[in-house]
Amino acid sequence: MSLSMYQASAPVFQRMLRNLKTLLQKAEAHAEARKFDAANLLNFRLYPDMFPLTRQVQIATDAAKGAMARLAGVDIPSWEDVETTLPELIARIDKALAYVESFRPEQIDGSEDRAITVQLRSGPLHFTGQEFLLSFALPNLFFHVTTAYNILRHNGVEIGKRDYLG
Amino acid sequence: MSLSMYQASAPVFQRMLRNLKTLLQKAEAHAEARKFDAANLLNFRLYPDMFPLTRQVQIATDAAKGAMARLAGVDIPSWEDVETTLPELIARIDKALAYVESFRPEQIDGSEDRAITVQLRSGPLHFTGQEFLLSFALPNLFFHVTTAYNILRHNGVEIGKRDYLG
């Protein structure tokens, strides 16, 4: 009895992407109720050299997309970062959800020892599939969903831990 | 070939706790260099009804401690929330690291189907060991480490994603 690589990746990504979608839907309702431009949220950063909400959502979806592709050993589809509204960001989450759902467990299972290289600006990082999932892909996904949550909370959107956990 | 419950929990908790420790050490150096009271960071909240940095660190350590105990089926040790300085919070992280390290893989492996109940203010949550780890313990730990990171970044402490990922 043990965890499979699929179980430790796809359903976790799906849950967090769905929760991120809920956060954005609540942000949209909040902006409508208060009659302010949702772009005020989308462009908000917790510090001048941090990414704004829009990028947090784009990177969260990229983290899920890249992790599935790398674990399965297929090319990572490239998605342009063109979203400028909450409905567009929600559509991007739906696209990421559909992409994660397109993988079958047998494409991911057995990827524990697959050699995975991630190119960062600072240079390449080399992982086994298991290291990649546990020390890069999951921490990264959770980071960007939590930071989106913190940006929205900081701006008074009425969301709670329960929305984050799902 | 597959992931074990131990591999998907203890080393992940250890890495994130060590990274959290690095974040706090950098916060300490920052407060000293700028000659301000580190309590200004410890009491900072991203929103009035969010937890301040101190609680984020306490909850992150509790998340790791509670997860290990629940997966192993042992009583969760109770730690008083008494820390009021960065060195005390760093000592609490060290205590949590030692606690996680005290478990042997065979105490955690095979806990996929263990029945785990978490008592929340809103009522009890019932999980299998695998659900608990993937949909509660890990998301919770990452949430509080990331929120600690965001509080420090928001306050100008010079930390980066690399410190978070380790």
Side-chain angles (χ1 to χ4, degrees), chain B residues 1 4 11 20 25 34 38 46 52 73 80 104 109 115 138 149 166:
Chain B
M1 200 171 57
S4 75
L20 181 59
Q25 286 168 334
R34 304 294 179 98
L46 286 171
E80 270 194 283
R104 299 181 309 281
D109 287 341
L138 287 174
Y149 176 96

Side-chain angles (χ1 to χ4, degrees), chain B residues 87-157:
Chain B
E88 285 171 7
L89 284 175
I90 289 170
R92 181 169 177 137
I93 295 172
D94 284 333
K95 190 174 169 185
L97 277 166
Y99 184 73
V100 174
E101 279 156 26
S102 74
F103 288 85
R104 299 181 309 281
E106 54 269 33
Q107 288 178 270
I108 303 297
D109 287 341
S111 60
E112 286 84 347
D113 294 329
R114 177 187 290 280
I116 290 179
T117 300
V118 178
Q119 297 293 346
L120 298 184
R121 265 171 295 180
S122 52
L125 289 179
H126 302 286
F127 300 99
T128 64
Q130 179 177 315
E131 290 167 352
F132 167 73
L133 176 63
L134 296 174
S135 71
F136 189 84
L138 287 174
N140 215 19
L141 180 82
F142 285 115
F143 179 90
H144 293 286
V145 175
T146 301
T147 302
Y149 176 96
N150 283 333
I151 288 172
L152 294 174
R153 277 289 259 126
H154 184 69
N155 282 280
V157 177

Side-chain angles (χ1 to χ4, degrees), chain A residues 2 46 112 122 140 154 161, chain B residues 2 46 140 154 161-162:
Chain A
S2 59
L46 286 171
E112 286 84 347
S122 51
N140 215 19
H154 184 70
K161 191 74 177 299
Chain B
S2 59
L46 286 171
N140 215 19
H154 184 69
K161 190 74 176 299
R162 189 181 276 262

